[in-house]
């Protein structure tokens, strides 16, 4: 193109460019008949605007392009319209050369085609006509005298120019590999693109199901006799609670989103052909409450693909020593025993709304008669939980001290297959097997969508093939490599010879599967417990607090700092504790939702030191009764905060102390005591005993009470 000095309509140099049009094929070369090469370009689709044509300055000599079907003509591709190099068909060649002729018709040209010159001279008498070839002719002007002169510049023929374009594009394609080059020059693979299956699974299972799908794609079961794949598979995951809700009541919006706030295609992913939940109970959770006009129908398998128990993964230095302590006991009992061995033990669990494993663990945590709000407050850290078990195990080694004192509720298989995080050094862990926590039972569920019948037979064949492979030796190997157990009989490890350290090869596992009602109840109670909280602050306002009143470290200052953990939907109030006028307290801030600014303004305006003593026993008893009444109808988290200088702790002795401890154990409302005196939380002191009995926390001057109190309030509230 550069040597030919071709120009655009604007007079600029014509530079070849590649422009891909959607759904338009461009044929750069094609095999001709009888070995003769022929080259054609497919033009725009029917109805498209043709490219601009540069008008010739003189009547051109047209070189024939033989129409399809004639000797020497190129074969037309099976699909798509074609555009040849001229609009008028020339007469057939004579003796291999074209006779000059004049034509008043104007020929159409392709962009980049050289301008034709006037007719070429006739061969001299006796001279053999020059055969047709790919070599360019030397055009000459008819009115130019025949005398020795410098030969004119050779111009490449239209065929040769387009051939050079092909070479340029082919050289460019080498940068994209052999596949791109083959595509550009007209080669093609014998394999058609396979049908793609969409597989939705639980986030904890995504890595395992993805590895199984990769193995299946290249297996003999998914390969034809010609070496082509029968199907492709896309594996994606979404929060388990969101997936259940979408399949149960949002299939219409999933099929055709109509609302920006409700769009499962955006929030979950494409409509699945296959769903692999982590628990068999998820299927009745969907079908039990599914809309009558639902567009999705579930067809689950009868048997689970594999099994993995939910374990309490404990740092080996803190784990139970005897087999009886490690296997079969209730989860709450195991946790209590661990806390007795380590004062600062923490228990963490992923988000029950995001994975089935965390929701199954929550069933055991809540146990029989446990208060969800109190349970959630004792689970560290404050703020949102880790989304998956793998994320939780990845985060723990970021702090060695936390890693060594934290037990994690995770699926057993992760102790073998590990997690994909950057930390490889972590505290070794030992699995303890609670007897009241159901395990993971992934199951294959075929999802059929109303109106999706165009390729139903092919899609059914692809889904059935993947189902059979997962249920057979291929799936067994994939789940075994990840650390799963058999789904039936004694649920032995699928790869017992390569069991992870700290895992029992054959513990006495829970046989009963999770039920629909148990999972739904646990999820509802969790949402209530993580919802808006209630906090009642008791601020010691007796005369002895005068020296501990002002500044950020004084009583009101500590209280106001902790308000950042409470949001607009949380409810809280402040009592000023001082024994006067026959009452143990006065209301400083009425109980209810408040903005932080208005709450701080009320505290600044009304908080003052009274000329009276405090009665912590009477104030705490009244607070327990008040909170018990407020929380009788729901599972919202609750907290009592007592800020005191312990000057009146002498009123918490003997029978009064025993009565208060008994009430605290029964109320299921944690009490966090903030002692502004040194040693206020020492073992055996009333503050420490009350906090322990209620399941709360005791903070004194040695524990950075400001940050500690803010953390405790943040566990209860929703935050600013």
């Amino acid at each position: 193109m550069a040597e030919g000095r071709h120009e655009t309509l604007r007079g600029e140099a014509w530079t070849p460019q590649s422009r891909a049009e959607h759904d338009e094929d461009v044929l750069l070369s094609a095999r001709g008949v009888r070995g003769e090469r022929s080259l054609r370009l497919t033009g725009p689709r029917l109805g498209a605007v043709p490219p601009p044509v540069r008008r010739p300055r003189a009547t051109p000599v047209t070189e024939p392009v033989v129409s399809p079907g004639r000797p020497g003509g190129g074969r037309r591709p099976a699909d798509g319209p074609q555009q040849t190099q001229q609009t008028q068909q020339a007469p057939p060649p004579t003796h291999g050369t074209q006779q000059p002729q004049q034509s008043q018709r104007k020929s159409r040209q392709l962009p980049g085609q050289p301008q034709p010159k006037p007719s070429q001279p006739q061969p001299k008498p006796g001279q053999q006509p020059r055969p047709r070839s790919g070599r360019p002719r030397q055009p000459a002007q008819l009115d130019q005298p025949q005398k020795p002169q410098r030969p004119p510049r050779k111009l490449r023929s239209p065929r040769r120019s387009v051939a050079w374009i092909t070479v340029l594009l082919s050289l460019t394609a080498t940068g994209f590999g052999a596949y791109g080059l083959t595509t550009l020059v007209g080669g093609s693979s014998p394999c058609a693109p396979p049908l793609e299956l969409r597989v939705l699974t639980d986030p904890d299972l995504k890595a395992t199901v993805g590895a199984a799908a990769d193995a299946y794609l290249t297996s003999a079961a998914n390969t034809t006799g010609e070496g082509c794949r029968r199907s492709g598979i896309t594996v994606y995951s979404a929060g388990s609670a969101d997936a259940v809700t979408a399949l149960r009541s949002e299939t219409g919006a999933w099929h055709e989103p109509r609302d920006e706030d409700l769009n499962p295609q955006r929030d979950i992913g494409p409509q699945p052909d296959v769903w692999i939940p982590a628990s068999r109970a998820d299927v009745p959770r969907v079908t039990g409450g599914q809309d009558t006009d639902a567009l999705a129908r579930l067809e689950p398998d009868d048997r689970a693909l594999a099994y993995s128990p939910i374990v309490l993964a404990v740092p080996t230095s803190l784990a139970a020593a005897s087999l009886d302590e490690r296997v079969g006991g209730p989860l709450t009992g195991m946790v209590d025993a661990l806390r007795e061995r380590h004062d600062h033990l923490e228990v963490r669990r992923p988000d029950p709304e995001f994975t089935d494993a965390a929701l199954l663990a929550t069933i055991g945590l809540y146990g029989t008669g446990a208060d969800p709000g109190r349970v959630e407050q004792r689970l560290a850290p404050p703020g949102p939980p880790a989304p998956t078990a793998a994320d939780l195990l990845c985060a723990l080694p970021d702090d060695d001290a936390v890693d060594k004192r934290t037990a994690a509720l995770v699926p057993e298989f992760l102790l073998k297959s590990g997690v994909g995080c950057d930390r490889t050094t972590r505290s070794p862990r030992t699995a303890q097997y609670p007897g009241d926590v159901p395990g993971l039972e992934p199951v294959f569920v075929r999802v059929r969508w109303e109106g999706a019948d165009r390729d139903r037979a092919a899609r059914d064949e692809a889904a059935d093939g993947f189902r059979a492979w997962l249920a057979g030796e291929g799936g067994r190997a994939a789940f075994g490599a990840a650390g799963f157990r058999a789904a039936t009989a004694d649920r032995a490890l699928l790869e017992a010879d390569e069991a992870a350290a700290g895992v029992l090869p054959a513990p006495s596992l829970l046989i009963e599967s999770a039920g629909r009602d148990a999972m739904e109840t646990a999820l509802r109670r969790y949402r209530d417990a993580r919802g808006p909280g209630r906090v009642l602050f008791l601020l010691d306002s007796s005369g002895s607090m005068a020296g501990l009143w002002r500044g950020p470290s004084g009583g009101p200052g500590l209280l106001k700092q902790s308000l950042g953990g409470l949001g607009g939907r949380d409810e809280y109030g402040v009592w000023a504790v001082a024994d006067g006028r026959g009452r143990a307290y006065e209301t400083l801030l009425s109980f209810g939702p408040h903005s932080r600014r208005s709450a701080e303004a009320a505290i600044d305006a009304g908080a003052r030191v009274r000329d009276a003593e405090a009665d912590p026993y009477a104030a705490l008893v009244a607070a327990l009764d008040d909170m018990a009444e407020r929380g009788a109808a729901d599972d919202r988290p609750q907290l009592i905060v007592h800020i005191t200088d312990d000057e009146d702790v002498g009123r918490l002795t003997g029978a009064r102390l025993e009565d208060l401890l008994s009430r605290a154990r029964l109320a299921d409302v944690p009490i966090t005591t903030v002692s502004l005196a040194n040693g206020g939380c020492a073992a055996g002191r009333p503050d420490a005993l009350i906090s322990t009995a209620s399941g709360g926390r005791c903070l004194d001057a040695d524990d950075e009470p400001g940050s500690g109190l803010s953390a405790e309030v943040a566990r209860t509230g929703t935050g600013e």
Side-chain angles (χ1 to χ4, degrees):
M1 297 292 287
E3 292 178 0
R5 296 183 180 178
H6 301 294
E7 297 180 351
T8 67
L9 295 179
R10 296 181 178 181
E12 300 173 350
W14 197 307
T15 304
Q17 296 181 1
S18 172
R19 300 201 175 207
E21 296 292 336
H22 183 62
D23 290 337
E24 179 177 316
D25 297 330
V26 178
L27 180 65
L28 296 180
S29 70
R31 296 184 182 277
V33 181
R34 298 181 182 178
E36 181 178 353
R37 293 187 299 173
S38 175
L39 184 141
R40 297 186 177 207
L41 294 177
T42 60
R45 297 184 298 274
L46 293 177
V49 179
V53 178
R54 186 173 183 177
R55 298 179 181 276
R57 291 188 297 267
T59 303
V61 175
T62 57
E63 184 173 356
V65 178
V66 182
S67 63
R70 297 193 180 191
R75 297 184 183 275
R76 179 169 180 165
D79 298 323
Q82 259 197 8
Q83 178 183 4
T84 60
Q85 292 190 23
Q86 64 179 22
T87 56
Q88 178 187 6
Q89 185 175 346
T94 304
H95 303 296
T97 187
Q98 170 66 34
Q99 300 293 332
Q101 60 179 346
Q102 300 290 336
S103 174
Q104 299 301 320
R105 297 187 182 183
K106 298 177 181 180
S107 65
R108 296 182 59 189
Q109 292 181 276
L110 294 175
Q113 184 176 353
Q115 295 296 322
K117 298 292 184 179
S119 303
Q120 296 181 5
Q122 295 282 356
K124 295 180 180 180
Q127 180 180 2
Q128 295 294 330
R130 188 176 182 179
R132 287 186 65 197
S133 69
R135 298 177 60 84
R137 293 184 176 88
Q138 296 182 7
Q141 300 292 337
L142 291 178
D143 58 351
Q144 191 174 25
Q146 301 294 327
K147 63 180 179 178
Q149 63 178 356
R150 183 177 180 180
R153 178 183 299 273
K154 295 183 179 181
L155 296 178
R156 302 185 187 275
S157 68
R159 176 182 299 161
R160 192 61 174 247
S161 299
V162 180
W164 274 108
I165 297 176
T166 303
V167 173
L168 289 172
L169 291 176
S170 299
L171 291 175
T172 304
T174 59
F176 298 97
Y179 175 79
L181 178 59
T182 303
T183 303
L184 282 172
V185 300
S188 61
S189 170
C191 299
L195 182 145
E196 193 78 8
L197 282 179
R198 302 177 295 268
V199 178
L200 171 65
T201 191
D202 185 275
D204 275 337
L205 298 180
K206 184 180 179 182
T208 302
V209 174
D214 290 342
Y216 171 71
L217 289 179
T218 56
S219 68
N222 193 47
T223 306
T224 66
E226 293 77 20
C228 300
R229 291 184 179 180
R230 299 181 186 274
S231 65
I233 297 178
T234 297
V235 176
Y236 58 104
S237 65
S240 57
D242 290 340
V244 168
T245 300
L247 288 169
R248 179 170 54 201
S249 58
E250 299 173 357
T251 54
W254 207 339
H255 174 71
E256 186 176 356
R258 300 176 183 272
D259 188 347
E260 181 65 24
D261 295 332
L262 182 59
N263 189 346
Q265 290 186 16
R266 174 198 61 205
D267 301 331
I268 296 178
Q271 298 168 240
D273 302 303
V274 175
W275 180 36
I276 303 182
S279 173
R280 291 194 294 179
D282 285 348
V283 176
R285 288 174 66 193
V286 171
T287 57
Q290 197 169 35
D291 296 336
T292 56
D293 58 348
L295 301 182
R297 188 175 77 256
L298 306 185
E299 297 178 357
D301 279 4
D302 295 333
R303 293 185 177 182
L305 297 168
Y307 177 84
S308 183
I310 307 301
V311 301
L312 189 63
V314 184
T316 302
S317 60
L318 303 178
S322 67
L323 185 62
D324 291 340
E325 292 181 288
R326 287 185 62 186
V327 179
L331 177 57
T332 54
M334 290 184 176
V335 172
D336 290 341
L338 287 172
R339 287 193 168 119
E340 290 178 0
R341 288 195 290 270
H342 195 290
D343 293 338
H344 299 289
L345 178 93
E346 296 182 5
V347 177
R348 298 191 186 181
R349 168 218 55 196
D351 187 352
E353 294 203 62
F354 201 67
T355 66
D356 277 345
L359 184 57
L360 295 172
T362 303
I363 294 176
L365 283 171
Y366 292 170
T368 303
D371 178 61
R374 181 174 178 180
V375 170
E376 294 301 327
Q377 285 178 318
R378 300 183 73 181
L379 291 176
T388 68
D391 292 326
L392 172 58
L393 291 176
C394 274
L396 288 178
D398 291 341
D399 188 326
D400 291 338
V402 172
D403 195 25
K404 292 177 181 178
R405 68 169 184 263
T406 301
L409 282 162
V410 296
E412 180 200 46
F413 76 89
L414 284 178
L415 298 184
K416 176 185 178 181
S417 56
V419 291
C421 51
D422 56 355
R423 291 292 299 268
T424 58
T425 302
R426 53 178 53 87
S427 296
R429 296 183 176 272
T430 298
Q432 295 188 195
Y433 299 82
D436 57 352
V437 179
L440 296 186
E441 295 178 295
V443 63
F444 189 101
V445 182
R446 178 73 169 94
V447 184
R448 297 189 181 278
W449 294 87
E450 183 178 327
D453 301 324
R454 185 174 63 181
D455 58 354
R456 179 173 181 175
R459 198 162 293 277
D460 284 347
E461 181 180 358
D464 290 342
F466 188 42
R467 180 203 308 256
W469 187 89
L470 275 180
E473 290 301 320
R476 178 185 177 91
F479 280 99
F484 279 80
R485 296 175 177 267
T488 57
D490 59 352
R491 291 176 172 169
L493 288 166
L494 293 174
E495 287 190 1
D497 296 339
E498 300 180 8
V503 170
L504 294 177
S508 177
L509 300 176
L510 179 70
I511 301 302
E512 182 180 358
S513 300
R516 178 195 66 183
D517 293 341
M519 294 189 74
E520 286 293 304
T521 300
L523 181 59
R524 176 185 57 78
R525 299 181 73 187
Y526 169 78
R527 286 172 171 169
D528 287 345
R530 296 288 296 188
R534 300 186 182 97
V535 180
L536 180 57
F537 294 93
L538 307 184
L539 177 61
D540 188 345
S541 301
S542 63
S544 60
M545 285 283 291
L548 301 170
W549 196 254
R550 300 189 180 279
S553 61
L558 291 174
L559 193 158
K560 289 190 293 184
Q561 290 177 41
S562 68
L563 296 181
L566 298 170
R569 296 185 300 142
D570 298 313
E571 297 178 334
Y572 57 99
V574 181
W575 290 356
V577 178
D579 192 5
R581 298 182 182 179
R583 297 190 61 183
Y585 65 90
E586 291 182 3
T587 300
L588 183 59
L589 179 67
S590 60
F591 203 92
H594 303 278
S595 68
R596 183 172 182 178
R597 178 177 296 180
S598 64
E600 290 181 347
I603 294 171
D604 290 338
R608 59 184 178 84
V609 178
R610 273 75 169 175
D611 185 14
E613 294 183 350
D615 187 352
Y617 166 78
L620 287 170
V621 168
L624 287 171
D625 292 341
D626 184 87
M627 296 297 278
E629 183 178 352
R630 296 182 186 277
D634 56 46
D635 293 319
R636 289 172 57 179
Q638 299 188 114
L639 177 67
I640 296 174
V641 175
H642 184 206
I643 302 175
T644 179
D645 65 349
D646 279 334
E647 180 68 21
D648 301 300
V649 74
R651 291 190 170 191
L652 287 173
T653 58
R656 301 184 97 201
L657 178 60
E658 291 299 327
D659 179 66
L660 181 58
L661 294 178
S662 178
R663 290 171 180 266
R665 295 187 186 99
L666 296 175
D668 277 336
V669 179
I671 299 174
T672 292
T673 302
V674 180
S675 175
L676 302 182
N678 292 327
C681 293
R685 294 291 299 270
D687 291 343
L689 294 174
I690 294 170
S691 296
T692 302
S694 66
R697 185 178 177 186
C698 188
L699 303 166
D700 59 22
D702 299 328
D703 295 322
E704 297 184 2
S707 59
L709 177 59
S710 296
E712 293 303 310
V713 173
R715 297 174 198 264
T716 305
T718 58
E720 289 183 308

